[in-house]
Amino acid sequence: MRINAWQSSLAASLVAMASGAGAVPIYQSNQVTLYMEGYFTAHMVNTMGDTQMQNGASRYRFGLNVPAYDAWDTGFNVEWGVNAISSAQNLVIQGDQQAAPGDRGDSIYLRQGHLFAKHPKWGDFIAGKQWGVYYEVTYITDWYNVSGGLASGTYALGTDGGVTGSGRADSALSWRKKWKFDAGEFQIALQYASHVADLEIEVEDIAGPDTVLICPPGDCEYGISHGISAVYRADIGDGLFLGAAYNRVKLDIQSENGLIFDTSGNEPVLIDNQFAFNASSNDWTSAIGAYYGKEAFAKGFYGAVVFQRSQNNELAPPGSVEGITNFFDAKGSESFFSYTWGTDNCYSVYAGHNYLVSDDPGFEAALVEGDRFKLALHFLGFQYRWNERVRIYMENAFDGSNEVAPEFIDDFVAVGIRIDI
């Protein structure tokens, strides 16, 4: 299985909140505000005995805000990822760098594209490719400059989490609503998506030796998905965050017209086109998270942890299992800690971990090597914020993964620069 002032003053305030450094207005009037934001980042990475200059998670985004009837604000956001250093990059060591499978060789690929309508009373409605509501909880540990985001269940199946809805959700409808209290703020978020991608199914030896089953196009798919998250930000000290999230997508793996091929010869030969099968299941992941502090890399201390459990949300590395047990259940955790000081808060040290292990006896019994999947990375980094829009960083990762973990996991030392728009 292989496998986004209630006229010009309101718009300006939305632009100011769009990113840490602030977005750049391109055009502004009493009716609309068009802005651009994003950043360019690249680093020299020494890993696996080799040193390469690598693309970071560079991206640029255009947004349009259009104040509408009453207190409604509407508009759109379109964001593209950029492989600016090399369009043929083959080393991906950060979850946020993940693209949809068909986009991985592209110099420019879509990260988000959605419409929105926001109202202070009725909440925020968003339609299109967007950050899933699951990310409302898991983003709190996804702050590393080079790696990270590998164990929270966000970037499912080695992708950007689009088909599952846990990361940059494809074709999704979402609603978010905040309530403010004297002691803090509570937010609930809901998400829905229908079919977003076909499943390519190939199962060997299902009808005897030298046979393969292929699911006909359109019969096997990622079906309806749902997501929910709830977060509470308490006004305690520098700020306390508590959150929980759940995401589920239906795996429709069934057909009355399965194709059986004889593979004993030089070319596959179709021997049955009405093979019936049903192995449908659910792909789900759940997460809880907490942090204390203002935000990552803000003055003072910031500490965040995330724990997740999942079913069929992780994908076995190629060649690691026998038979059809490619998806596996897992549990994992992530952490991110930073301390920032100095004039203009320019110095930061940070550290943390990503830890993901299989929790699936059937999958573990089918492994060719080892008895469990284990990804274990510990990070230590330093960042110097030259000014509001330029930062220089060094990041180290110490790998404790086993032989079953993906090939790109290893110790690394990286030095890089990020320039915000």
Side-chain angles (χ1 to χ4, degrees), residues 40-42 53-56 58 81-87 89 106-109:
F40 174 91
T41 179
M53 179 173 284
Q54 293 292 337
N55 296 300
S58 302
V82 182
N83 289 324
I85 301 302
S86 170
S87 62
Q89 175 175 327
D106 295 342
S107 297
I108 298 175
Y109 60 92

Side-chain angles (χ1 to χ4, degrees), residues 290-312:
Y291 76 70
Y292 178 81
K294 296 183 180 69
E295 61 183 27
F297 301 118
K299 183 178 181 179
F301 173 78
Y302 173 87
V305 292
V306 166
F307 299 93
Q308 68 97 352
R309 294 293 299 268
S310 62
Q311 173 184 288
N312 295 327

Side-chain angles (χ1 to χ4, degrees), residues 3 22 70 107 172 175 180 189 193 237 250 266 273 279 298 371 391-392:
I3 308 286
D70 192 18
S107 297
W175 172 74
K180 294 184 180 295
K250 180 71 172 178
N266 294 329
N273 62 1
D371 58 2
R391 66 181 71 177
I392 300 169

Side-chain angles (χ1 to χ4, degrees), residues 201-214:
I201 307 294
E202 291 187 10
V203 183
E204 296 181 351
D205 300 332
I206 197 167
D210 299 322
T211 62
V212 62
L213 164 67
I214 295 179

Side-chain angles (χ1 to χ4, degrees), residues 5 8-25 33 35-38 61 65 73 77 116 118 120 124 139 143 178 180 185 295 388-389 420-421:
S8 60
S9 60
L10 173 61
S13 67
L14 290 169
V15 168
M17 294 186 293
S19 68
V24 177
T33 298
Y35 64 88
M36 179 180 183
E37 68 170 335
R61 180 163 73 95
N65 290 98
D73 183 68
N77 290 297
F116 64 82
K118 302 180 179 181
D124 299 350
Y139 86 92
W143 290 107
K178 295 179 181 178
K180 294 184 180 295
E185 178 183 270
E295 61 183 27
E388 186 182 32
R389 297 182 182 275
D420 289 23
I421 293 173

Side-chain angles (χ1 to χ4, degrees), residues 35-181:
Y35 64 88
M36 179 180 183
E37 68 170 335
Y39 59 81
F40 174 91
T41 179
H43 27 255
M44 294 293 295
V45 181
N46 180 279
T47 185
M48 302 180 188
D50 191 18
T51 300
Q52 300 180 34
M53 179 173 284
Q54 293 292 337
N55 296 300
S58 302
R59 79 285 302 268
Y60 62 94
R61 180 163 73 95
F62 290 98
L64 182 74
N65 290 98
V66 183
Y69 174 76
D70 192 18
W72 285 98
D73 183 68
T74 61
F76 67 80
N77 290 297
V78 183
E79 181 181 81
W80 293 271
V82 182
N83 289 324
I85 301 302
S86 170
S87 62
Q89 175 175 327
N90 57 10
L91 175 64
V92 177
I93 52 179
Q94 176 177 314
D96 196 33
Q97 282 179 255
Q98 298 280 15
D103 297 334
R104 289 179 179 169
D106 295 342
S107 297
I108 298 175
Y109 60 92
L110 183 69
R111 286 174 54 91
Q112 296 188 70
H114 57 260
L115 305 169
F116 64 82
K118 302 180 179 181
H119 191 279
K121 179 179 180 180
W122 303 111
D124 299 350
F125 300 85
I126 305 175
K129 187 170 179 63
Q130 59 187 282
W131 280 115
V133 302
Y134 185 81
Y135 196 64
E136 297 284 343
V137 173
T138 60
Y139 86 92
I140 66 174
T141 54
D142 193 16
W143 290 107
Y144 295 98
N145 284 302
V146 179
S147 188
L150 301 173
S152 65
T154 302
Y155 306 108
L157 310 176
T159 73
D160 68 345
V163 295
T164 60
S166 54
R168 296 191 294 274
D170 291 338
S171 306
L173 298 170
S174 69
W175 172 74
R176 294 167 172 83
K177 171 64 178 169
K178 295 179 181 178
W179 292 268
K180 294 184 180 295
F181 306 96

